[in-house]
């Protein structure tokens, strides 16, 4: 995995990062031969009430300053063991129309190397716990998710760098249809890909999605990457979405080969919100 960067990871500062620490995950990444890692801890200001049945229903916002201090400490430590390995400071902002004010305030207050825009909760439900899918067929559920993500990215504009796991909605769905294909959502996917391409945003290949979920195995759609490239898109980001040190860089060799087979030759990571290209 020499030269690859894992741009989507969580550590103990995320509400669901208790299975690892920044130090353990960074050391695991370096041992696996990654060139660098970015910690993109969760920031969701609104958590739907239905989630309270499973977890404490509180805002999932990490403390930026102590997290960044810990990253600086770990960067110095791991850098001595693995010269050249780098650790970056990121955030995964949960886009939510009702929380636009707090999102803008938060992103204006702190600086990050990169910002991932993701949708975790919508319509006061949580796809992870299944509530979102009730009363919807697969096409309605997936389409509405994509439309919501697109609308919030338009609003966020310069405030983000990477569109996170557009196929998150398919991971936990109850339907046999477990992948997002361009042929099923041509209009909204075209709008999303065009926006990313024209505004210098990165399309994330989130390798956590492409594994078995109750026997269902989502797959990435080659046509989505081909269409992104056709529209002028150049920025591809690899992210394992790790919440465990063992999963950092998950299936990156396979993902890199897939991306290369679609005509891309570089992966992007961000430093101080500026894209830096690395050969796949």
């Amino acid at each position: 995995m020499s030269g690859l960067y894992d741009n989507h990871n969580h550590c103990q500062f995320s509400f669901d990062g208790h299975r690892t620490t920044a130090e353990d995950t960074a050391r695991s990444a370096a041992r696996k031969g990654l060139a660098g890692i970015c910690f993109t801890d969760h920031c969701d200001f609104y958590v739907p009430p239905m989630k309270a049945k499973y977890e404490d229903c509180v805002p999932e916002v990490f403390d930026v300053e102590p997290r960044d201090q810990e990253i600086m400490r770990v960067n110095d430590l791991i850098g001595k063991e693995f010269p050249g390995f780098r650790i970056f400071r990121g955030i995964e902002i949960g886009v939510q129309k009702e929380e636009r004010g707090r999102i803008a305030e938060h992103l204006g207050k702190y600086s990050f190397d990169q910002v991932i825009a993701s949708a975790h909760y919508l319509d006061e439900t949580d796809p992870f716990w299944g509530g979102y899918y009730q009363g919807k067929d697969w096409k309605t559920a997936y389409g509405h998710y994509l439309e919501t993500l697109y609308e919030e990215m338009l609003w966020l504009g310069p405030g983000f760098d990477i569109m996170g796991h557009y196929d998150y909605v398919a991971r936990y769905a109850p339907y046999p249809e477990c992948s997002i294909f361009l042929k099923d959502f041509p209009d909204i996917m075209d709008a999303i890909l065009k926006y990313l391409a024209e505004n210098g945003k990165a399309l994330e290949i989130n390798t956590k999605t492409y594994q078995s979920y109750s026997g269902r195995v989502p797959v990435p759609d080659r046509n989505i990457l081909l269409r992104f490239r056709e529209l002028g898109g150049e920025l591809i980001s690899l992210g394992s979405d790790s919440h465990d040190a063992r999963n950092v860089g998950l299936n990156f060799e396979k993902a890199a080969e897939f991306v290369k087979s679609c005509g891309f030759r570089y992966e992007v990571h961000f430093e101080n919100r500026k894209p830096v290209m690395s050969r796949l």
Side-chain angles (χ1 to χ4, degrees), residues 54-280:
Y54 307 98
E55 299 176 2
D56 291 335
C57 189
V58 296
E60 295 163 348
V61 182
F62 71 94
D63 292 328
V64 176
E65 292 176 357
R67 197 285 306 263
D68 287 358
Q69 290 173 4
E70 176 65 1
I71 287 177
M72 292 174 62
R73 183 192 74 81
V74 173
N75 193 42
D76 290 341
L77 177 66
I78 303 300
K80 294 175 182 176
E81 298 180 41
F82 301 91
F85 182 81
R86 302 184 67 192
I87 305 174
F88 300 101
R89 303 169 300 103
I91 185 172
E92 183 180 16
I93 196 78
V95 292
Q96 299 163 328
K97 185 174 183 179
E98 296 77 12
E99 299 297 338
R100 288 178 176 178
R102 285 204 283 183
I103 290 171
E105 180 181 2
H106 196 69
L107 293 179
K109 182 177 180 180
Y110 300 105
S111 63
F112 303 96
D113 284 303
Q114 74 171 29
V115 178
I116 298 177
S118 298
H120 297 115
Y121 310 122
L122 68 167
D123 299 347
E124 298 189 358
T125 65
D126 180 356
F128 180 84
W129 293 113
Y132 171 70
Y133 307 101
Q134 294 176 10
K136 300 182 182 73
D137 60 37
W138 70 275
K139 206 158 190 179
T140 300
Y142 295 174
H144 178 53
Y145 179 90
L146 292 171
E147 290 165 358
T148 300
L149 180 58
Y150 175 60
E151 180 181 346
E152 294 311 303
M153 286 195 303
L154 288 181
W155 169 78
L156 193 53
F160 81 101
D161 309 301
I162 301 171
M163 178 182 70
H165 50 47
Y166 67 90
D167 41 15
Y168 174 87
V169 68
R171 282 187 196 169
Y172 311 109
Y175 320 112
E177 298 84 1
C178 60
S179 302
I180 302 290
F181 293 118
L182 180 64
K183 65 179 178 62
D184 295 321
F185 306 96
D187 294 339
I188 186 58
M189 282 306 307
D190 224 49
I192 288 173
L193 297 174
K194 185 177 181 181
Y195 176 77
L196 296 177
E198 291 181 348
N199 291 277
K201 309 295 186 183
L203 173 66
E204 179 184 81
I205 304 300
N206 188 297
T207 60
K208 184 178 180 180
T209 298
Y210 311 120
Q211 54 186 315
S212 178
Y213 291 91
S214 302
R216 303 159 60 259
V217 183
V219 297
D221 182 15
R222 177 180 304 277
N223 289 322
I224 287 179
L225 270 72
L226 293 175
R227 181 59 175 153
F228 182 50
R229 187 164 175 262
E230 183 179 298
L231 290 166
E234 297 180 344
L235 305 186
I236 298 290
S237 173
L238 299 181
S240 67
D241 206 349
S242 75
H243 293 69
D244 187 311
R246 294 171 297 179
N247 291 330
V248 65
L250 178 71
N251 293 328
F252 265 33
E253 294 99 335
K254 183 178 180 180
E257 287 304 313
F258 173 73
V259 170
K260 287 169 65 176
S261 75
C262 295
F264 295 90
R265 293 292 175 263
Y266 298 90
E267 176 205 14
V268 69
H269 70 277
F270 290 83
E271 301 181 17
N272 196 27
R273 304 290 310 282
K274 304 296 183 183
V276 179
M277 308 297 281
S278 302
R279 184 170 289 277
L280 289 166

